[in-house]
Amino acid sequence: QVQLVESGGGLVQDGGSLRLACAASGTIFMINAMGWYRQGPGKPRDLVATIDSDGSTFYADSAKGRFTISRDNAKNTVYLQMNSLKPEDTAVYICNADVQTSLLRSAVYWGQGNQVTISS
């Protein structure tokens, strides 16, 4: 069993910054891709950014230039540094990870979600 525990959400003003963290624990052989998604009120869940095990990254257009995804493989943790935040970034941010629990078994796990609110 694998758990993803998020931290770092909260309320900030327009133009502010926040750093989210998501730590994986449990039966982990290795972690492949990790990522962040977000779901705003009445909206579908959208991809924000992903990072592969080799460090290569992908960003949604809405995140490019403002958000930075990174990971610490020794801590099984993925981070999302968010700068120049806007009210439209208000959402529940959810991390996920493609985790191998053995050499031949893998699954995608999700965090519990963390509310990020940007006030104008």
Side-chain angles (χ1 to χ4, degrees):
Q1 188 71 6
V2 174
Q3 298 82 36
L4 300 183
V5 177
E6 301 178 26
S7 60
L11 171 67
V12 295
Q13 290 187 329
D14 190 355
S17 298
L18 277 176
R19 188 189 193 211
L20 304 179
C22 173
S25 63
T27 306
I28 298 172
F29 177 72
M30 68 177 293
I31 302 178
N32 300 310
M34 305 183 81
W36 288 95
Y37 290 71
R38 68 185 184 185
Q39 187 165 15
K43 297 181 180 180
R45 182 174 297 186
D46 291 329
L47 174 67
V48 177
T50 62
I51 184 167
D52 288 337
S53 57
D54 64 0
S56 57
T57 59
F58 171 84
Y59 293 94
D61 287 344
S62 60
K64 288 178 182 176
R66 299 188 300 129
F67 296 180
T68 302
I69 189 170
S70 61
R71 61 191 284 173
D72 184 333
N73 291 329
K75 297 181 179 179
N76 291 328
T77 299
V78 62
Y79 304 94
L80 186 68
Q81 176 67 43
M82 303 184 292
N83 299 327
S84 302
L85 284 162
K86 308 173 184 178
E88 52 263 43
D89 293 316
T90 294
V92 174
Y93 284 70
I94 310 151
C95 66
N96 81 345
D98 179 1
V99 180
Q100 285 186 240
T101 53
S102 69
L103 188 61
L104 299 178
R105 178 170 293 184
S106 68
V108 176
Y109 295 87
W110 293 86
Q112 80 279 9
N114 218 346
Q115 179 67 47
V116 170
T117 303
I118 316 304
S119 63
S120 58

